[in-house]
Amino acid sequence: MDYQNVGEGMPSPKKWYQKNVWIILLLIFAFPVGAYLMWRYSDWKRVAKVIVSCIGVILCISILFSPKSTEINLVANERIEYDVNDSVLVYADTESSQTILESSYKSQGGKFEFSDKGVYFSANKAGDYKVWVEQNGVKSNIVVLRVEDKEELSKAHEKELIASAKKEGVAEYKEELKAAEEKKKAEEEAKLKAEEEARIAAEAAAAEAAKQAEAEAQAQAQAQAQAQAAQNVQASSGGSVWKSATGSKYHSHNNCGNMNPNTSSLITVEQAQAMGLGACQKCF
């Protein structure tokens, strides 16, 4: 009997990294390695391999280039007590230009209202409400807004005053009632003033952010223009340019701007640079 040929023709056992279960795990947790093993060792159909590869590449790109916010600062006026159903302006400030989604505003009770003027919080019951923003794994500071039922408090206070009036007389009761009304009026005025200050602060913060973004865009555009001018100068090196009679720039054509073609002269770029002339930003 020929023992030498025993086992020939039988498939050799797969190594661990050639098995489908390990290939799938590596595709999830280490996509480049899993993709290589999938194409090298798996017996999947080519269409399935292409689909898995495309999905993996798209997910990697979305993770790499997804916007990230390093800090979110939530601003609201916490110094006053709000009445039930009052609309309280809240403003979320971020270090980046990332947009805060409506679903990112969180609170323990109450509700949010969104409009072109801003984000407003309100509650129909008295209590202390915690409000914050949470987006892309970043959580803002927590703002605590105190809401009171001013009508119920006023009624309770009036009952106390009536009971006190029975003991101390009607005259003193009227004075206390008048003082309570004045206090209520002063509180309402203070609340309106605080809301106006919060609105002005939010608008100023938004204007400052817009101004900063505009300045960054202008700086970027200027840098691109300078880079383009340098490329044009480099591309035209060794060629001919036009020099005006009185200007400090050289041009690619003799009728640029207010140039007089009759008094302009044709020179090389090297001659223009030797004369201290710079490239015209309109031509180059």
Side-chain angles (χ1 to χ4, degrees), residues 3-284:
Y3 292 96
Q4 185 176 358
N5 295 326
V6 173
E8 289 185 359
M10 297 179 61
S12 58
K14 291 185 177 180
K15 297 183 179 180
W16 66 272
Y17 55 82
Q18 296 175 336
K19 296 180 179 179
N20 286 338
V21 63
W22 288 104
I23 293 176
I24 293 173
L25 289 174
L26 289 172
L27 283 170
I28 297 174
F29 297 104
F31 177 74
V33 178
Y36 170 77
L37 295 177
M38 176 185 68
W39 283 96
R40 180 67 176 83
Y41 297 110
S42 73
D43 54 357
W44 302 353
K45 293 183 178 180
R46 184 178 182 84
V47 174
K49 293 179 180 180
V50 171
I51 293 174
V52 171
S53 299
C54 292
I55 293 174
V57 170
I58 293 173
L59 290 176
C60 291
I61 292 175
S62 63
I63 293 173
L64 289 174
F65 293 97
S66 61
K68 296 180 176 59
S69 176
T70 56
E71 183 178 354
I72 303 175
N73 183 30
L74 187 64
V75 180
N77 193 343
E78 302 177 78
R79 296 177 295 176
I80 63 176
E81 291 79 23
Y82 298 94
D83 198 358
V84 292
N85 298 320
D86 277 352
S87 295
V88 184
L89 177 65
V90 295
Y91 175 74
D93 185 21
T94 61
E95 293 181 350
S96 63
S97 58
Q98 181 182 8
T99 301
I100 302 299
L101 303 177
E102 294 183 2
S103 59
S104 299
Y105 288 88
K106 311 292 183 182
S107 65
Q108 292 181 344
K111 64 179 182 179
F112 291 99
E113 295 180 359
F114 303 91
S115 67
D116 296 337
K117 296 181 179 179
V119 181
Y120 295 88
F121 172 83
S122 62
N124 58 5
K125 294 182 180 179
D128 292 339
Y129 293 87
K130 294 182 179 180
V131 181
W132 70 95
V133 173
E134 188 170 357
Q135 182 168 290
N136 294 333
V138 179
K139 186 176 181 180
S140 72
N141 56 304
I142 296 178
V143 174
V144 180
L145 301 176
R146 174 163 293 181
V147 178
E148 296 179 347
D149 192 335
K150 300 293 182 68
E151 185 177 356
E152 291 296 329
L153 291 176
S154 179
K155 291 180 180 179
H157 187 56
E158 287 180 3
K159 291 180 180 180
E160 293 177 358
L161 291 179
I162 293 173
S164 177
K166 291 180 181 179
K167 296 180 180 180
E168 300 179 3
V170 177
E172 293 181 0
Y173 161 71
K174 290 182 177 180
E175 290 294 328
E176 290 181 358
L177 185 59
K178 181 179 179 180
E181 292 176 351
E182 292 177 351
K183 180 180 179 181
K184 180 180 179 181
K185 182 179 179 181
E187 289 177 348
E188 291 176 351
E189 292 176 351
K191 185 185 74 172
L192 292 175
K193 182 178 179 181
E195 290 178 350
E196 181 65 16
E197 291 176 352
R199 183 187 64 79
I200 293 174
E203 291 178 353
E208 182 63 24
K211 182 178 179 181
Q212 184 177 359
E214 182 179 0
E216 292 176 355
Q218 290 178 353
Q220 183 178 3
Q222 184 177 2
Q224 291 177 351
Q226 291 176 352
Q228 184 64 38
Q231 291 178 359
N232 291 337
V233 171
Q234 184 177 2
S236 63
S237 177
S240 298
V241 293
W242 290 93
K243 169 186 173 298
S244 63
T246 58
S248 60
K249 305 290 183 180
Y250 59 86
H251 309 267
S252 62
H253 50 277
N254 62 355
N255 59 348
C256 176
N258 296 324
M259 281 183 63
N260 186 352
N262 297 327
T263 59
S264 61
S265 57
L266 189 65
I267 59 176
T268 64
V269 174
E270 289 78 8
Q271 290 175 337
Q273 292 176 346
M275 296 170 67
L277 300 180
C280 174
Q281 294 184 356
K282 294 182 180 179
C283 300
F284 296 93

